[in-house]
Amino acid sequence: MIDHIQSILQQGLKAIEEATDLTQLQEVKNQYLAKKSALMGIFSQLKDLDAEKKKQVGFEINAARDQLTLALETKQKTIETLVMQAKLKEEVIDISQPATHAYQGSVNPFFLIEQTITDIFVSMGYQVAEGPEIESDHYNFELLNIPKDHPAREMQDSLYFDENTLLRTHTSPVQARVMQASQGKPIQVICPGKVYRRDEDDATHSHQFGQVEGLVVAEGINLGHLKQTLQAFAKKMFGEKREIRLRPSFFPFTEPSVEIDVSCFECGGKGCNLCKHTGWIEILGGGMVHPKVLTMNGYDAKKMTGFAFGIGIERVAMLRYGIDDIRRFYQNDLRFIQQFNRK
Ligand code: PHE
């Protein structure tokens, strides 16, 4: 019986030795250690033996089982290590291979400039306000001191839904909305957004474009504050060396009104094609908020004053990047947009 156990043990160890993968090893385990295996079957024969022999044979069976179990475990570890090594070898990454090109999106220069303008004013303490693009005649014109039949309406060829509803022609109605919401308290906001005009489709006009409105209302605000603010803006936007100048202009909602030019950043003011040989480039309009506008929107014009300005986003972007045609912003031509990667 003990010889039989020994020969089973030797066969088992040999089978373990010869197994080359985990499936084979599992089969060996089933064959030699399962309840119905030859080795375990010997247990059932123990009852016919005398006590001394029983003990001896039982000991031998257990010893054989332990030896087989240990051999199985060792072999399993060896196979697993080999499998892992083969896998690592197979899946090795060649970091010297050239990478496949991944397309990275770019931001349309319109949004780059809108964001830059916003950042500049937010850094000066301005809050950002928004208003609806579908606006009433009341807000777009009346509250800005542009009554019906006023010639200034002519300048802003509008897109109407009905007699009283239109696509806003400028971001200035947000001035009225912010004033009404602020109920006489000081204001310092910018309002970026889209505006619409029934304009010619040519290189400098579009029926839709972007503006950033600015509005500051408080006690003692004067034109010097407007000049200083826009001077700081021009330097941050176009370079530290830039100067601005104010020219008289007209808007019904500001008095006095100004047109603001920045010294040409192409020629530094000497005169070139970009500035049409004047040394200056017009960048925006502004002025002191008209007392009527303050009053109509709930402010005591004797106590509080304010300034306002409106910046054309595409205009700034065209100047800053030398873009020749406003329609490029909307055509989604990747060859155009990809030139404005943030790097
Ligand atoms: N709303 C004016 C326009 O669109 C610009 C402007 C804004 C002028 C604020 C003065 C003050 O032309």
Side-chain angles (χ1 to χ4, degrees):
M1 221 171 234
I2 289 176
D3 287 348
H4 188 44
I5 294 169
Q6 279 306 318
S7 89
I8 293 175
L9 174 62
Q10 292 315 318
Q11 280 170 31
L13 290 174
K14 195 162 169 262
I16 293 169
E17 181 73 36
E18 284 166 0
T20 52
D21 62 34
L22 291 175
T23 327
Q24 281 178 25
L25 202 61
Q26 185 60 41
E27 277 166 19
V28 176
K29 190 175 178 182
N30 292 343
Q31 195 183 337
Y32 287 89
L33 292 178
K35 279 217 177 70
K36 284 183 186 149
S37 65
L39 189 62
M40 295 302 136
I42 300 175
F43 273 121
S44 59
Q45 296 165 30
L46 290 183
K47 58 180 184 319
D48 305 328
L49 300 176
D50 62 53
E52 186 56 27
K53 196 91 179 134
K54 210 186 245 174
K55 202 173 154 193
Q56 201 188 344
V57 174
F59 178 81
E60 289 293 332
I61 298 174
N62 283 332
R65 188 188 53 200
D66 290 349
Q67 220 177 317
L68 286 170
T69 308
L70 184 68
L72 274 163
E73 279 168 5
T74 311
K75 182 75 186 211
Q76 182 170 342
K77 286 203 186 101
T78 310
I79 293 176
E80 278 169 357
T81 310
L82 286 173
V83 168
M84 180 55 86
Q85 276 167 355
K87 210 172 168 186
L88 285 174
K89 207 166 168 187
E90 195 179 303
E91 294 177 2
V92 75
I93 295 167
D94 180 358
I95 54 166
S96 68
Q97 287 268 323
T100 46
H101 177 74
Y103 172 69
Q104 225 191 343
S106 348
V107 179
N108 187 305
F110 175 90
F111 294 107
L112 282 181
I113 292 295
E114 184 185 52
Q115 194 54 53
T116 307
I117 297 174
T118 305
D119 288 348
I120 291 172
F121 283 102
V122 166
S123 78
M124 293 195 244
Y126 284 67
Q127 304 222 305
V128 178
E130 282 184 342
E133 288 172 25
I134 296 174
E135 193 50 285
S136 65
D137 180 286
H138 189 61
Y139 277 95
N140 196 79
F141 294 125
E142 297 282 339
L143 289 174
L144 296 169
N145 197 31
I146 317 176
K148 289 214 162 46
D149 306 321
H150 192 290
R153 287 200 181 198
E154 276 296 299
M155 291 176 355
Q156 301 198 349
D157 297 313
S158 318
L159 294 159
Y160 281 90
F161 292 96
D162 58 47
E163 226 180 296
N164 290 312
T165 323
L166 68 157
L167 287 169
R168 67 178 179 193
T169 57
H170 49 180
T171 42
S172 300
V174 190
Q175 284 190 38
R177 291 185 175 275
V178 171
M179 278 190 254
Q180 291 183 3
S182 304
Q183 301 190 321
K185 290 195 198 70
I187 295 169
Q188 191 183 11
V189 293
I190 51 159
C191 329
K194 293 190 223 104
V195 302
Y196 304 84
R197 289 186 201 177
R198 190 167 47 79
D199 257 333
E200 292 294 319
D201 185 28
D202 65 33
T204 54
H205 291 96
S206 161
H207 61 280
Q208 179 197 310
F209 56 100
Q211 286 189 333
V212 177
E213 192 83 8
L215 175 68
V216 173
V217 182
E219 275 181 53
I221 295 292
N222 61 44
L223 201 61
H225 295 123
L226 173 65
K227 184 172 180 192
Q228 208 50 45
T229 302
L230 295 175
Q231 168 89 46
F233 165 70
K235 284 183 187 294
K236 285 197 174 143
M237 193 78 221
F238 295 108
E240 271 310 309
K241 294 216 177 87
R242 301 286 79 79
E243 296 296 329
I244 59 162
R245 72 173 183 188
L246 275 54
R247 280 183 294 112
S249 185
F250 173 78
F251 300 103
F253 37 94
T254 46
E255 180 58 36
S257 301
V258 290
E259 211 80 61
I260 284 130
D261 300 340
V262 61
S263 57
C264 183
F265 35 88
E266 189 73 28
C267 64
K270 285 195 234 68
C272 68
N273 278 339
L274 184 69
C275 60
K276 300 193 187 92
H277 301 281
T278 64
W280 296 93
I281 298 171
E282 186 193 321
I283 51 164
L284 59 99
M288 297 305 294
V289 181
H290 197 293
K292 272 197 191 166
V293 173
L294 285 168
T295 311
M296 276 189 285
N297 291 293
Y299 279 74
D300 180 352
K302 289 214 175 61
K303 217 176 106 207
M304 304 269 248
T305 48
F307 67 73
F309 56 85
I311 306 172
I313 295 174
E314 284 89 339
R315 179 159 176 78
V316 171
M318 287 170 87
L319 289 169
R320 167 99 176 236
Y321 296 128
I323 297 166
D324 59 344
D325 190 326
I326 196 170
R327 289 169 294 195
R328 298 203 193 284
F329 290 101
Y330 323 113
Q331 285 161 340
N332 279 334
D333 184 339
L334 288 179
R335 290 169 305 178
F336 170 69
I337 297 173
Q338 277 171 358
Q339 296 175 52
F340 300 93
N341 251 325
R342 269 227 193 241
K343 351 178 209 108

